[in-house]
């Protein structure tokens, strides 16, 4: 076709392309176009001048385009002039003649003047007007078709989807084009009298448009992932838009900037690829994915959440371990003075015989006590090794850093969880949630699935019953009394266990004073054993007590957790208080030793060198030097022992309580008088909450003791690693899926909050000891200082320039610190109040939205009714007057959106709105390609 | 991620191998259901139907469809995608809304096939009316997509439970 050689009008090309693409949509296009053109044509018939303008404008545009493609100027002008003439003629004729005739003549004239593209358009419009009535019919058909579509159950959804997608796509293409066109229109209109339009090859506006289009494409690419389309379409769209972006992205810059831009784009791509690789690597590094998945499929997400929590803990401990190991233990072991060089690094003479015994080592005495594992081994030398590693400072900073890091991680996780949860407290959708979200898609085990079915059924039934008699409450006094009684009993338990621990710790101190060698294993490990046993049996007791008060199971679970939490906390704190007592005792002892030390030293000097005044180095074996009791190491040892015994009890209960029980039930079932598997003992369930609590407390002890025993994170890492495998195995082989499955996500923040509380409570005593108790005089990195904090001051004085110390001292005086604290408090208050108001506004908005939604629906229904009525009337009218069909067409067009939206509510109304807005849909590629090629 | 896609492809080609014709790029619904992840899911038929793009409406999946399925159920899918597909899965008659019959089917498949776990007719009626009362904002007797998404978005544990991991 010749018009391809000429610079074709955009609309023509577009139609062709679209026809090639998709029949339905091209039809749609043509219709829209016809509409708009028809409208314009009508206007033109009313107003000849404007029509001329339009013609002129079209020709001018064409001319300018030609010019921009480096065709001869003159020719364009000639053509243009010719055009003007013809259009003028047409206008005159037009006034005289009927509209249709004019169009016909016009078409003839133009065809004779070799302007084939224009002719094409004209003829089309001509046909258009001929077919106006047909058009209306078509539209009606289309409506019918639409409705059919909606009724057709199989395809609609997908089609809708595609509709929306394609419309969006079209919109995106259309937008730049149409806007630029309208702009050029306005441009040419403003310069109407000038002979030639002064449209440059690439105006800044066009550039802007292009940029916008590219940006939109980019946005589409990034948001593509979040669209619910099938993969194929995503791929197609992605490829198209990527091509588009690639084509035009480079063209946006100019000269040097362009190169830079291209470079930037390239780097961006590289960076993206790198990020993706990193992401892949990261996911490959996450351990135990398969194990957890298996558990998930057998036990649902709640049990798996425990293991995910365990893995998370493992990660944290890994980092803590890295800190202490890399910055404290390794430097000391490599660069510090070797074993046996000082008294604090040697086993004392009287213990040397038994220092290698396994029992002693297991107790972390003997050689283990005098090693990098404990506080006492470290020297107070300021800088060690050839690196001048500041050991005491590093020790202190690592101690602070572990705590700070833990706080940061816990709080960040909590915040993220809170974000994800959203408005989970809302109970207005109780039933809907039960139906829509109760199935756990991770379950892949038929047995679990059966359990889940039963569980869901009971929950439905319960909910219905509750709904039916939610107001009925029988004998509130009895339940109240029982609850009070239960709480009283629990309090008694707590107090009793607290006293027991206190008593045991005191007793153990007495034993220790008398010398441990006279006592057996039980006396030595009494404290830890009692604590572990209490932790094991008290929860069972609480469980029994909690049956007295018949709470809803979820609330009961929380009460139970709270009580166990209180128990553990009480135990831990009595333990710490007892330890404090022990510290006081040790310090008293230390004073005595100090005095004796001076006497001993004096004796030594007097004994070995009575007459020689030159101070020679005294060579005494460091094992013989008398030493203080070193309370820090004692504290560290206590914690390590506690952890070990705790771990042991956990594993043993796991083995006995779960494994043995399962074995017994399995094998004795054949020769027993009742059904063991479904009767009394049955198999055990996995106790998620108890296990999580145990984990949390374990972590709390780590945080508390890590300062005095740098080996604790390592130990904990080992423990977590082992328990991961052991518990995975135990769960898979001897537990049954829970009958009552609690969702994990709701309580995860509850656990996190507990972790935070524990973290806070465990840092309190550690900080107290660091700040207020003077370190012992002959062991540890801070020996010889008044307070452990003095390390910082020392570093400031010696390692930093003087002005820094001055600034620091100014900054730390109370006159500055107090206002700063005040400011912080104010800021917190302000943020809190703003968040509160935001919440309230949010709620109000939600309410408003709901009411508006309802109103809208009502309105829509009314409108639909109204339009239906009008339609009918109009149809009657249309039968009477066939001439008024065009009006009817508009009428139906207008009335269409509400109708369709009531029929297919899933379709966003926006897509509908823009098709009705009647601007020329266009293909952006054409003009942009032109301009692009122009610039080259 | 890449590994996940490779893994999915491995599983998919394993399923394909068991198919008679090596040239068929689609895997029938029954084969998909032999996957352990879907074996005990009460919605497995619906899932296949929703994600299938085959013309025969037999619920067979091509590899792209399979990937679609996995990505919709993966961790990284947004709430919007998940709720959209959940809606389509629950919409048993594919008419774009959840009406009383859809809900009844949904509840039935949630409570299992056996009779002893099923709800009685009375309970069912009560339940459905309750559900509609809660989530049918415009009171037209059905739950449409936006209402569904509204309800789902407030739920605390939908995202964590609407997941399938290979």
């Amino acid at each position: 076709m010749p018009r391809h050689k000429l610079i074709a009008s955009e609309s023509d090309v577009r139609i062709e392309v679209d026809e090639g693409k998709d029949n339905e949509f091209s039809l749609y296009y043509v219709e829209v176009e016809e509409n708009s053109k028809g409208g314009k044509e009508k206007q033109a018939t009313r107003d000849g001048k404007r029509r001329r303008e339009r013609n002129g404008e079209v020709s001018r545009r064409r001319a300018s385009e030609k010019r921009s493609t480096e065709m001869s100027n003159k020719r364009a002008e000639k053509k243009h002039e010719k055009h003007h003439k013809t259009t003028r003629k047409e206008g005159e004729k037009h006034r005289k003649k009927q509209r249709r005739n004019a169009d016909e003549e016009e078409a003839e004239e133009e065809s004779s003047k070799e302007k084939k593209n224009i002719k094409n358009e004209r003829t089309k419009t001509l046909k258009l007007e001929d077919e106006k009535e047909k058009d209306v019919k078509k539209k009606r058909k289309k409506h019918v078709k639409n409705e059919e579509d909606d009724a057709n159950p199989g395809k609609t959804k997908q089609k809708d989807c595609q509709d929306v997608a394609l419309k969006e796509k079209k919109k995106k293409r259309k937008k730049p084009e149409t806007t630029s066109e309208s702009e050029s229109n306005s441009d040419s209109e403003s310069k109407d009298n000038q002979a030639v339009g002064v449209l440059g090859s690439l105006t800044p506006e066009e550039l802007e448009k292009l940029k916008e289009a590219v940006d939109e494409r980019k946005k589409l690419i990034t948001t593509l992932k979040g669209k619910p389309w099938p993969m194929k379409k995503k791929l197609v769209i992605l490829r198209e838009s990527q091509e588009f972006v690639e084509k035009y992205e480079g063209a946006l810059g100019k000269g040097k900037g362009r190169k830079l831009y291209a470079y930037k784009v390239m780097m961006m791509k590289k960076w993206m690829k790198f990020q993706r690789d990193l992401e892949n690597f990261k996911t490959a590094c996450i351990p135990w994915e398969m194990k957890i998945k298996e558990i998930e499929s057998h036990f649902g997400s709640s049990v798996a959440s425990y293991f995910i929590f365990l893995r998370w803990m493992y990660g944290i401990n890994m980092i803590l371990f890295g800190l202490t190991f890399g910055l404290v233990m390794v430097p000391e072991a490599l660069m510090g003075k070797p074993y046996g060089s000082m008294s604090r690094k040697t086993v004392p003479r009287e213990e040397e015989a038994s220092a290698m015994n396994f029992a002693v080592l297991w107790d972390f005495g003997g050689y283990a006590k005098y090693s990098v594992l404990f506080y006492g081994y470290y020297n107070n030398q300021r800088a060690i090794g050839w690196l001048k590693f500041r050991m005491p400072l590093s020790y202190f900073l690592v101690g602070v850093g572990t705590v700070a890091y833990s706080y940061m991680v816990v709080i960040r996780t909590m915040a993220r969880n809170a974000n994800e949860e959203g408005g989970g407290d809302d109970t207005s959708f109780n039933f809907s949630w039960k139906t829509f979200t109760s199935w756990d898609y991770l379950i892949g085990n038929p047995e679990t699935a059966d359990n889940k079915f039963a569980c869901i059924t009971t929950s439905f039934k319960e909910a219905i019953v509750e709904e039916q008699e939610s107001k009925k409450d029988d004998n509130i006094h009895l339940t109240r009394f029982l609850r009070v009684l239960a709480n009283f009993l629990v309090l008694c338990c707590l107090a009793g266990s607290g006293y027991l621990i206190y008593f045991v710790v005191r007793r153990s101190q007495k034993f220790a004073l008398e010398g441990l060698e006279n006592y057996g294993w039980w006396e030595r490990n009494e404290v830890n054993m009692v604590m572990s046993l209490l932790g094991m049996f008290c929860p069972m007791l609480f469980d029994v007590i909690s049956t007295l008060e018949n709470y809803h199971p979820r609330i009961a679970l929380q009460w139970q957790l709270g009580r166990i939490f209180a128990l553990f906390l009480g135990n831990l704190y009595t333990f710490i208080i007892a330890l404090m007592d022990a510290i006081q005792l040790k310090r008293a002892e230390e004073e005595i030793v100090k005095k004796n030390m001076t006497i001993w030293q004096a004796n030594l000097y007097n004994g070995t060198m009575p007459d020689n005044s030159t101070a020679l180095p005294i060579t005494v074996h460091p094992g013989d030097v008398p030493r203080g009791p070193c309370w820090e190491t004692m504290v560290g040892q206590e914690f390590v022992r506690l952890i070990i015994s705790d771990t042991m009890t956990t594993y043993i209960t796991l083995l006995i309580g779960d494994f043995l029980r399962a074995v017994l039930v399995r094998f004795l079932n054949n020769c027993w008088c009742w059904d063991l598997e479904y009767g009394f003992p049955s198999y055990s369930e996995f106790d998620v909450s108890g296990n999580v609590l145990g984990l949390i407390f374990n972590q709390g002890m780590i945080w508390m003791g890590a300062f005095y025993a740098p080996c604790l994170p390592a130990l904990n890492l080992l423990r977590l690693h082992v328990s991961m495998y052991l518990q995975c195995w135990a769960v898979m082989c001897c537990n049954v899926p829970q009958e009552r499955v609690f969702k994990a996500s709701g309580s995860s923040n509850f656990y996190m909050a507990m972790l935070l509380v524990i973290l806070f409570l465990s840092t309190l005593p550690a900080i107290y000891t660091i700040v207020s108790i003077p370190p012992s005089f002959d062991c540890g990195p801070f020996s010889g200082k008044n307070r452990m904090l003095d390390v910082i001051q020392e570093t400031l004085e010696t390692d930093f320039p003087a002005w820094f110390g001055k600034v620091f001292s100014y900054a730390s005086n109370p006159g500055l610190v107090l206002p700063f604290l005040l400011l912080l408090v104010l800021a917190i208050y302000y943020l809190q109040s703003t968040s509160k108001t935001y919440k309230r506004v949010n709620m109000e908005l939600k309410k408003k939205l709901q009411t508006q939604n309802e109103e809208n629906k009502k309105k829509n229904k009314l409108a639909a009714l109204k339009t239906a009525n009008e339609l009918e009337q109009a149809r009657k009218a249309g039968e009477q007057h066939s001439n008024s069909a065009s009006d009817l067409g508009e009428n139906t067009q207008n009335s269409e959106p509400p109708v369709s939206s009531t029929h297919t509510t899933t379709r966003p109304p926006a897509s509908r709105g823009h098709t009705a807005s009647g601007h020329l849909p266009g293909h952006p590629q054409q003009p942009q390609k032109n301009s692009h090629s122009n610039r080259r | 991620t890449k590994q996940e896609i490779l893994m999915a492809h491995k599983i998919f080609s394993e399923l394909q191998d068991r198919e008679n014709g090596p040239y068929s790029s689609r895997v029938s619904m029954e084969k998909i259901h032999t996957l352990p992840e879907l074996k005990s899911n009460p919605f497995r038929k619906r899932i296949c139907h929703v994600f299938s793009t085959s013309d025969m409406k037999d619920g067979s999946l091509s590899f792209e469809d399979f990937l679609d399925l996995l990505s919709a159920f993966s961790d990284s899918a947004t709430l919007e995608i998940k709720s959209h597909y959940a809606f389509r899965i629950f919409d048993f008659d594919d008419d774009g809304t959840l009406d009383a019959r859809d809900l009844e089917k949904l509840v039935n498949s949630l409570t299992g096939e056996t009779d002893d776990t099923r709800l009685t007719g009375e309970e069912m009626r009560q339940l459905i009316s309750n559900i509609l009362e809660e989530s049918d904002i415009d009171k037209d007797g059905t739950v449409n997509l936006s209402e569904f998404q509204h309800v789902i978005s407030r739920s605390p544990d939908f995202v964590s439970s609407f997941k399938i991991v290979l």
Side-chain angles (χ1 to χ4, degrees):
Chain A
M1 271 179 116
R3 67 172 168 181
H4 274 293
K5 283 173 193 165
L6 291 172
I7 292 143
S9 115
E10 306 103 18
S11 53
D12 288 352
V13 172
R14 184 186 59 243
I15 285 172
E16 278 218 339
V17 168
D18 276 336
E19 269 168 2
K21 239 183 175 177
D22 196 338
N23 264 331
E24 200 190 333
F25 290 124
S26 70
L27 185 76
Y28 196 66
Y29 257 49
V30 171
E31 268 174 23
V32 171
E33 218 173 313
E34 278 169 359
N35 259 341
S36 54
K37 268 185 193 161
K40 275 183 188 170
E41 216 64 44
K42 238 191 257 163
Q43 268 196 345
T45 51
R46 274 183 222 124
D47 192 55
K49 210 179 175 188
R50 268 199 82 171
R51 192 196 154 112
R52 229 185 296 145
E53 272 177 22
R54 208 177 102 80
N55 277 343
E57 167 202 317
V58 167
S59 56
R60 225 176 295 139
R61 197 171 65 223
R62 221 140 271 158
S64 67
E65 271 167 10
K66 269 190 188 158
R67 230 164 66 112
S68 62
T69 47
E70 315 284 288
M71 286 178 86
S72 74
N73 243 334
K74 273 184 187 175
R75 205 179 135 198
E77 269 180 14
K78 266 182 195 170
K79 262 179 199 167
H80 174 73
E81 275 174 18
K82 266 182 196 170
H83 246 294
H84 252 287
K85 276 176 196 168
T86 54
T87 42
R88 237 166 247 157
K89 268 183 201 167
E90 277 159 28
E92 282 166 16
K93 274 173 194 168
H94 173 72
R95 269 173 221 144
K96 287 168 196 166
K97 289 181 182 178
Q98 289 251 324
R99 189 182 63 182
R100 197 169 293 182
N101 289 340
D103 273 343
E104 273 170 357
E105 277 200 26
E106 192 183 318
E108 280 169 18
E109 272 182 27
E110 278 181 14
S111 67
S112 69
K113 276 173 187 170
E114 298 175 2
K115 282 296 273 186
K116 271 174 188 169
N117 51 348
I118 288 197
K119 178 209 161 185
N120 263 333
E121 205 169 294
R122 286 295 138 213
T123 43
K124 215 165 64 211
T125 48
L126 174 76
K127 267 185 218 156
L128 233 168
E129 289 194 1
D130 277 337
E131 286 175 3
K132 211 153 205 183
E133 283 180 17
K134 271 188 201 167
D135 192 354
V136 172
K137 276 176 199 165
K138 235 196 229 167
K139 259 178 223 153
R140 250 190 230 153
K141 255 188 216 163
K142 190 161 194 274
H143 284 206
V144 173
K145 205 179 153 201
N146 251 342
E147 279 172 16
E148 271 175 3
D149 272 4
D150 294 341
N152 188 9
K155 275 186 180 173
T156 19
K157 281 298 289 186
Q158 224 158 346
K159 227 180 223 169
D160 266 359
C161 234
Q162 277 176 356
D163 253 353
V164 172
L166 271 164
K167 266 174 210 161
E168 273 180 15
K169 222 168 82 185
K170 271 186 212 162
K171 216 191 200 165
K172 268 165 197 165
R173 274 206 207 136
K174 219 181 288 171
K175 204 180 163 189
E177 211 274 336
T178 44
T179 42
S180 70
E181 203 178 39
S182 68
E183 206 147 283
S184 67
N185 279 354
S186 62
D187 264 7
S188 51
E189 263 173 13
S190 66
K191 297 160 193 166
D192 197 21
N193 292 328
Q194 290 171 16
V196 186
V198 240
L199 271 170
S201 61
L202 198 70
T203 59
E205 285 94 0
E206 268 177 308
L207 243 177
E208 277 301 307
K209 294 279 138 43
L210 202 59
K211 255 183 197 167
E212 259 174 41
V214 168
D215 281 348
E216 262 176 79
R217 288 299 176 118
K218 273 185 187 167
K219 217 193 270 169
L220 183 67
I221 289 173
T222 50
T223 55
L224 192 68
K225 235 182 172 181
K227 300 235 160 82
W229 303 334
M231 193 70 76
K232 245 182 202 167
K233 207 172 66 203
K234 272 188 194 172
L235 271 179
V236 168
I237 290 171
L238 183 70
R239 219 168 278 147
E240 265 181 19
S241 39
Q242 264 177 349
E243 264 172 25
F244 181 85
V245 167
E246 263 172 34
K247 210 178 246 168
Y248 296 112
E249 205 168 37
L252 282 177
K254 270 181 189 167
K256 203 175 156 194
R258 189 156 143 196
K259 257 185 195 167
L260 197 75
Y261 192 76
Y263 180 72
K264 235 160 102 189
V265 168
M266 204 182 69
M267 285 314 288
M268 200 71 133
K269 269 181 192 162
K270 286 255 168 74
W271 175 240
M272 294 268 273
K273 192 171 179 306
F274 174 72
Q275 269 179 330
R276 191 179 283 182
D277 284 348
L278 200 72
E279 203 69 19
N280 281 344
F281 180 70
K282 263 194 214 156
T283 47
C285 277
I286 294 174
W288 303 312
E289 199 58 49
M290 286 311 289
K291 265 185 188 306
I292 288 174
K293 192 225 134 191
E294 206 175 325
I295 288 168
E296 253 171 358
S297 77
H298 274 82
F299 294 90
S301 55
S302 75
V303 173
S305 77
Y306 165 73
F307 286 96
I308 290 169
F309 189 66
L310 182 65
R311 192 173 62 181
W312 185 77
M313 282 294 211
Y314 187 79
I316 286 184
N317 276 295
M318 192 87 112
I319 288 173
L320 295 190
F321 169 71
L323 274 178
T324 50
F325 191 73
L327 291 177
V328 173
M329 284 163 85
V330 169
E332 177 68 26
L334 289 182
M335 299 189 285
K337 286 186 178 169
Y339 173 82
S341 59
M342 297 175 71
S343 73
R344 70 185 68 179
K345 297 197 178 195
T346 355
V347 179
R349 185 71 77 190
E350 59 266 28
E351 289 176 23
E352 216 166 279
S354 64
M356 245 352 240
N357 289 356
F358 179 72
V360 176
L361 280 183
W362 184 246
D363 234 14
F364 285 89
Y367 282 110
K369 189 178 169 186
Y370 298 98
S371 68
V372 281
L373 301 184
F374 290 103
Y375 173 90
Y377 182 77
Y378 294 85
N379 197 3
N380 62 346
Q381 211 178 356
R382 263 200 62 239
I384 56 170
W386 50 274
L387 273 177
K388 300 271 174 234
F389 192 76
R390 306 279 192 274
M391 194 59 219
L393 181 70
S394 152
Y395 195 96
F396 186 78
L397 287 185
V398 163
V400 173
T402 48
V403 170
Y405 172 76
S406 317
Y407 267 114
M408 206 183 70
V409 167
V410 171
I411 287 177
R412 219 173 50 191
T413 318
M414 271 182 85
R416 209 173 43 219
N417 280 356
N419 271 349
E420 273 173 13
E421 256 171 44
D425 52 336
D426 208 312
T427 53
S428 56
F429 298 116
N430 189 12
F431 283 98
S432 311
W433 284 351
K434 278 212 169 82
T435 39
F436 294 145
T437 68
S438 57
W439 186 256
D440 196 338
Y441 286 77
L442 289 165
I443 292 173
N445 191 24
E447 201 180 326
T448 322
D450 282 347
N451 273 350
K452 188 81 190 171
F453 285 140
C455 165
I456 290 171
T457 316
T458 48
S459 81
F460 276 145
K461 280 179 180 166
E462 265 175 21
I464 290 169
V465 170
E466 258 176 43
E467 178 77 11
Q468 275 168 353
E469 37 187 298
S470 56
K471 295 289 174 281
K472 230 196 276 178
D473 224 348
D474 52 344
N475 208 347
I476 200 163
H477 291 293
L478 181 67
T479 48
R480 220 175 254 170
F481 170 72
L482 281 177
R483 280 175 195 182
V484 170
L485 183 72
N487 278 322
F488 179 71
L489 284 176
V490 168
L491 272 182
C492 285
C493 277
L494 289 180
S497 71
Y499 179 73
L500 189 62
I501 288 174
Y502 189 73
F503 174 75
V504 168
V505 171
R506 292 309 286 271
R507 211 160 75 112
S508 77
Q509 282 161 18
K510 204 179 72 195
F511 291 152
L513 279 182
E514 290 170 9
L516 275 177
E517 290 73 33
N518 314 329
Y519 297 97
W521 179 82
W522 170 253
E523 275 84 3
R524 243 179 293 153
N525 292 296
E526 204 174 36
V527 180
N528 309 322
M529 289 312 291
V530 163
M531 275 185 77
S532 305
L533 286 178
L534 275 179
M536 215 165 76
F537 286 111
C538 273
M540 292 183 198
L541 209 62
F542 290 159
D543 215 6
V544 173
I545 290 171
S546 72
T547 50
L548 277 178
E549 29 171 34
N550 44 14
Y551 277 123
H552 184 270
R554 196 180 279 266
I555 300 168
L557 181 79
Q558 295 211 340
W559 271 97
Q560 172 86 350
L561 283 181
R563 278 165 190 167
I564 297 173
F565 189 74
L567 171 80
F568 280 179
L569 211 62
N571 292 357
L572 209 60
Y573 258 71
T574 37
F575 177 70
I576 286 165
I577 289 169
L579 265 186
M580 289 285 186
D581 276 357
I583 289 172
Q584 296 303 329
L585 278 178
K586 291 263 176 185
R587 286 193 53 224
E589 197 183 321
E590 194 182 280
E591 289 297 313
I592 299 165
V593 171
K594 238 184 189 171
K595 271 180 201 157
N596 288 345
M597 186 88 151
T598 46
I599 297 166
W600 176 78
Q601 259 174 352
N603 282 342
L604 201 67
Y605 276 110
N606 291 339
T608 50
M609 303 158 235
D611 39 29
N612 203 347
S613 60
T614 51
L616 284 171
I618 316 142
T619 49
V620 184
H621 190 267
D624 295 331
V625 177
R627 61 189 73 195
C630 198
W631 58 268
E632 289 97 338
T633 303
M634 193 255 321
V635 171
Q637 249 178 324
E638 286 298 324
F639 273 108
V640 170
R641 278 185 207 145
L642 200 63
I643 296 279
I644 297 273
S645 74
D646 188 49
T647 313
M648 285 300 130
T649 38
T650 318
Y651 291 163
I652 288 168
T653 45
L654 197 76
L655 281 181
I656 293 177
D658 287 354
F659 184 64
L660 266 187
R661 183 166 151 190
V663 167
L664 282 180
V665 167
R666 169 65 54 84
F667 291 108
L668 288 183
N669 197 26
N670 300 327
C671 50
W672 206 261
C673 40
W674 69 80
D675 192 1
L676 279 176
E677 282 189 345
Y678 293 98
F680 160 61
S682 79
Y683 297 107
S684 56
E685 287 175 2
F686 187 76
D687 178 18
V688 178
S689 51
N691 275 308
V692 169
L693 267 187
L695 211 60
I696 288 174
F697 267 87
N698 183 49
Q699 193 59 40
M701 283 188 252
I702 300 293
W703 279 321
M704 232 185 266
F707 191 74
Y708 297 112
C711 62
L712 269 184
L715 265 182
N716 198 35
L717 206 63
L718 199 70
R719 173 209 155 109
L720 289 180
H721 200 95
V722 172
S723 66
M724 184 83 199
Y725 283 101
L726 198 66
Q727 279 188 315
C728 269
W729 164 78
V731 160
M732 290 305 283
C733 87
C734 47
N735 281 18
V736 288
Q738 287 157 312
E739 276 174 26
R740 224 179 240 295
V741 181
F742 289 105
K743 285 292 167 54
S745 63
S747 45
S748 72
N749 239 7
F750 184 64
Y751 292 137
M752 278 293 161
M754 275 193 193
L755 195 65
L756 192 67
V757 169
I758 279 290
L759 179 55
F760 179 70
L761 290 177
S762 60
T763 46
L764 264 191
I767 287 175
Y768 171 76
T769 51
I770 288 171
V771 171
S772 66
I773 300 180
S776 34
F777 73 101
D778 66 342
C779 68
F782 310 112
S783 54
K785 295 190 178 61
N786 263 341
R787 296 274 180 270
M788 295 180 189
L789 274 176
D790 291 346
V791 185
I792 292 192
Q793 212 169 353
E794 193 191 71
T795 319
L796 278 177
E797 276 167 11
T798 52
D799 289 347
F800 283 96
W803 59 269
F804 194 84
K806 235 180 200 174
V807 168
F808 194 78
S809 69
Y810 279 132
S812 65
N813 83 336
L816 268 176
V817 171
L818 277 183
F820 186 68
L821 278 182
L822 214 70
L823 201 72
L824 276 184
V825 169
L826 280 180
I828 289 171
Y829 179 74
Y830 169 75
L831 286 178
Q832 205 201 356
S833 55
T834 46
S835 80
K836 241 181 213 166
T837 47
Y838 278 142
K839 251 182 204 166
R840 212 176 45 228
V841 168
N842 233 352
M843 287 299 290
E844 270 167 19
L845 272 180
K846 258 180 208 164
K847 263 183 207 161
K848 221 182 248 176
L849 209 70
Q850 276 182 7
T851 50
Q852 211 170 30
N853 221 351
E854 276 167 35
E855 269 177 23
N856 267 353
K857 296 278 177 181
K858 272 178 202 163
K859 255 186 213 166
N860 274 354
K861 265 181 194 169
L862 275 181
L865 275 177
K866 216 177 181 180
T867 45
N869 281 340
E870 275 177 13
L871 202 78
E872 229 160 77
Q873 282 175 3
R875 202 171 283 154
K876 277 174 198 165
E879 281 163 13
Q880 287 164 7
H881 315 283
S882 57
N883 283 347
S884 65
S886 60
D887 292 338
L888 176 65
E890 274 181 11
N891 199 3
T892 46
Q893 181 69 19
N894 288 341
S895 68
E896 201 257 347
V899 171
S900 79
S901 69
T902 46
H903 270 280
T904 62
T905 34
T906 54
R907 177 178 306 183
S911 63
R912 195 42 80 159
H914 100 86
T915 52
S917 64
H919 50 63
L920 282 170
H923 207 280
Q925 252 93 339
Q926 204 53 43
Q928 275 154 5
K929 212 181 258 172
N930 280 343
S931 52
H932 188 60
S933 57
N934 287 341
R935 281 198 26 250
R936 281 192 182 151
Chain B
T1 60
K2 197 173 161 191
Q3 275 91 349
E4 283 163 1
I5 290 175
L6 285 178
M7 178 135 154
H9 188 258
K10 210 181 88 196
I11 290 170
F12 191 76
S13 47
E14 265 172 30
L15 287 177
Q16 238 175 5
D17 284 343
R18 277 183 260 159
E19 203 92 341
N20 326 333
Y23 298 111
S24 69
S25 61
R26 296 186 163 275
V27 168
S28 68
M29 188 157 71
E30 286 73 30
K31 292 286 173 194
I32 293 288
H33 289 168
T34 56
L35 282 178
E37 285 79 15
L38 283 172
K39 210 164 44 189
S40 50
N41 196 321
F43 302 112
R44 52 187 180 275
K45 278 184 191 149
R46 285 299 309 160
I47 290 174
C48 282
H49 273 299
V50 164
F51 286 97
S52 167
T53 54
S54 82
D55 304 324
M56 318 214 323
K57 299 206 177 298
D58 56 352
S60 62
L61 297 181
S62 65
F63 180 60
E64 273 103 0
D65 303 338
F66 191 60
L67 268 190
D68 263 343
L69 194 158
L70 290 181
S71 75
F73 278 101
S74 75
D75 254 337
S76 56
T78 59
L79 176 72
E80 204 188 334
I81 291 183
K82 278 178 187 282
S83 56
H84 176 263
Y85 279 114
F87 182 78
R88 281 175 62 185
I89 287 169
F90 295 155
D91 183 12
F92 281 84
D93 51 8
D94 287 322
D95 63 350
T97 56
L98 296 181
D99 51 18
R101 258 174 300 130
D102 285 329
L103 289 176
E104 193 181 326
K105 271 189 189 169
L106 170 60
V107 172
N108 271 340
S109 47
L110 272 177
T111 52
E113 276 78 34
T114 51
D115 278 334
D116 55 326
T117 57
R118 266 183 195 234
L119 298 178
T120 62
E122 178 61 36
E123 283 170 334
M124 182 70 79
R125 226 169 299 133
Q126 172 92 32
L127 180 66
I128 286 170
S129 70
N130 275 334
I131 292 169
L132 285 178
E133 198 177 298
E134 280 169 6
S135 45
D136 184 18
I137 294 167
D138 59 357
K139 307 286 173 223
D140 60 351
T142 58
V143 180
N144 61 36
L145 180 61
S146 51
E147 287 163 356
F148 182 76
Q149 280 179 337
H150 176 68
V151 170
I152 288 289
S153 65
R154 313 282 287 280
S155 162
D157 38 30
F158 172 70
V159 175
S160 64
S161 70
F162 195 76
K163 243 192 320 196
I164 290 177
V165 188
L166 275 184

